[in-house]
Amino acid sequence: MYNGAQELLDKTKQVVQDYIEDLGYELVDLSLSKTRGNMTLKVLTDKPRGGISLKECADLNQGLSAILDRENTLGESYVLEVSSPGIDRPLTLRNDFLRAQARQIRAVLSEPIEGKYEITGVITKVEDDHLFLDSGEKIIDGERGRTIRIPLNKIKKAKQVIK
């Protein structure tokens, strides 16, 4: 980052986050970069349960641009990019798993659970600091699959399984 960038990033993040959350969206990530004198602000946003549309991103871009310009937050010309984090993004935070609830994921673990370092299943719930996956393994024909409880801090990496 260039000189003074962290202070500018913190100030910008607060403005962006307040605006986005007031509209019912969630700020996933924000980055600010300066290349050859051109400043770029990248905003990744989503709905709390996932599934933000291209039109919603465009509307957020327009609204954010107006606020940043009015408050002169960035103090110079800039490029604003508002986008969805995408279906293939890594799941790392509790909120990421909440957004992916009822979807199939693959998790790589830092230590084995039930003898496995890699588990695939459908997220049935996220509670406290644990993820509950329906492994799809049937206990008795016709019954629901077996639920596996995984501490979030034991997940090294996880992604949604794209079919």
Side-chain angles (χ1 to χ4, degrees):
M1 276 196 197
Y2 60 92
N3 192 19
Q6 188 59 51
E7 183 179 321
L8 183 58
L9 182 63
D10 292 344
K11 178 181 169 186
T12 304
K13 182 177 183 176
Q14 193 58 57
V15 170
V16 170
Q17 190 163 7
D18 289 348
Y19 177 75
I20 286 174
E21 288 179 357
D22 283 349
L23 293 173
Y25 298 98
E26 187 175 274
L27 179 63
V28 175
D29 194 26
L30 183 132
S31 65
L32 187 61
S33 62
K34 194 170 189 176
T35 308
R36 289 178 262 155
N38 298 321
M39 190 171 313
T40 301
L41 176 63
K42 294 182 181 180
V43 177
L44 292 181
T45 186
D46 209 349
K47 291 180 179 175
R49 293 285 183 203
I52 191 167
S53 71
L54 184 59
K55 181 180 180 338
E56 289 169 314
C57 286
D59 291 345
L60 284 172
N61 189 308
Q62 189 174 29
L64 277 172
S65 193
I67 287 173
L68 293 169
D69 290 349
R70 184 177 66 240
E71 295 187 12
N72 199 22
T73 306
L74 295 172
E76 58 183 86
S77 66
Y78 61 93
V79 174
L80 175 62
E81 298 176 6
V82 177
S83 62
S84 162
I87 194 168
D88 195 33
R89 78 162 187 263
L91 306 172
T92 55
L93 304 173
R94 184 178 189 278
N95 282 345
D96 296 334
F97 292 105
L98 283 169
R99 263 193 303 279
Q101 201 160 334
R103 297 183 186 143
Q104 187 174 39
I105 69 158
R106 178 171 294 119
V108 177
L109 310 173
S110 59
E111 59 187 60
I113 292 179
E114 298 186 13
K116 298 179 181 178
Y117 278 97
E118 190 172 310
I119 298 175
T120 300
V122 175
I123 300 175
T124 57
K125 69 179 172 178
V126 180
E127 190 173 271
D128 300 320
D129 292 329
H130 289 86
L131 177 68
F132 294 82
L133 287 183
D134 180 340
S135 67
E137 297 173 17
K138 303 296 179 192
I139 300 169
I140 301 172
D141 285 335
E143 268 192 37
R144 230 175 124 232
R146 187 167 47 96
T147 299
I148 301 170
R149 181 176 180 241
I150 304 170
L152 291 174
N153 65 355
K154 302 296 181 200
I155 300 173
K156 279 180 26 179
K157 63 181 179 175
K159 277 193 168 186
Q160 188 173 324
V161 175
I162 302 169
K163 296 178 180 184

